[in-house]
Amino acid sequence: MEHLEQTKPIARRTKKAVLDAVVCSVEIMAFAYLITYPFPLKAVAFIPLVMVAFIISRDIDSPSVTFRLLFRDLFSLKMLVQIVIGLELGIIAAIYYRGNLGMPLLPSMIRPFVFVAASVAIIEELFFRGFIQGQINKINSDFAVVFAALAHASYKACLFLSPAAIQQQHLVAFFIWSFAAYIVLGFLKHYSKSMIPVIVTHVIFDIVVYAEVLQAPWWVW
């Protein structure tokens, strides 16, 4: 009886964590769908984004502790190997992406927008692999990888599903490839037990892909 009483708070916290992850995933998709509209709907899009920020703020007990955990064991041999793996994955994926679009395999220059692209990559990884996968991980680690990947790919797809957006001609293929890439990132996060390798992968990918972009694409707000 005493054991059951002790497990009830744990079950409640797990249920809350999963619910928060589901709600945040839906809210971020709503944001992606609405953000491509002109004002005033563009302003309305920030309501779900604020709700996401509020939910995450409740689940982070100490930002300083969270920050320290992010860089834990950064210079260990194991972490350095995983960072190199992330670096290689990012470069390979970016070269394949550029080649598939008929672009030169490597950029000839780096323009200022690349810093915005890298910042977006960091935020996306902290949200999807950090928060969403971390919350769902409390019930099952493999399911957490799949759920976070599905949420991330759905978020990307919602940017193009909106009637106000520039339509993606191959949306199904885009979704499948995105989902597969995020599965890889999810397992990299799971096995490395760190956000650093997945951040490196995503940042390097975006730097190589968007290095020559003159100005922010329509989907950057």
Side-chain angles (χ1 to χ4, degrees), residues 57-148:
S57 69
R58 292 189 309 165
D59 291 323
I60 296 178
D61 296 326
S62 172
S64 60
V65 172
T66 303
F67 186 80
R68 286 199 300 271
L69 288 174
L70 180 64
F71 294 98
R72 183 179 56 186
D73 300 326
L74 181 60
F75 298 106
S76 67
L77 179 59
K78 180 181 177 181
M79 182 61 67
L80 291 175
V81 170
Q82 291 161 346
I83 290 173
V84 170
I85 292 172
L87 182 66
E88 292 176 343
L89 285 173
I91 293 172
I92 292 169
I95 289 175
Y96 176 81
Y97 182 88
R98 290 176 66 94
N100 197 46
L101 292 180
M103 302 167 64
L105 296 184
L106 292 173
S108 59
M109 63 182 69
I110 296 179
R111 298 186 184 274
F113 170 72
V114 78
F115 298 105
V116 177
S119 299
V120 171
I122 294 171
I123 293 170
E124 285 188 5
E125 288 309 314
L126 289 174
F127 178 72
F128 289 105
R129 245 61 60 194
F131 179 74
I132 299 297
Q133 186 171 325
Q135 296 294 88
I136 301 296
N137 194 62
K138 293 174 182 178
I139 56 172
N140 183 277
S141 59
D142 291 336
F143 178 66
V145 170
V146 175
F147 184 92

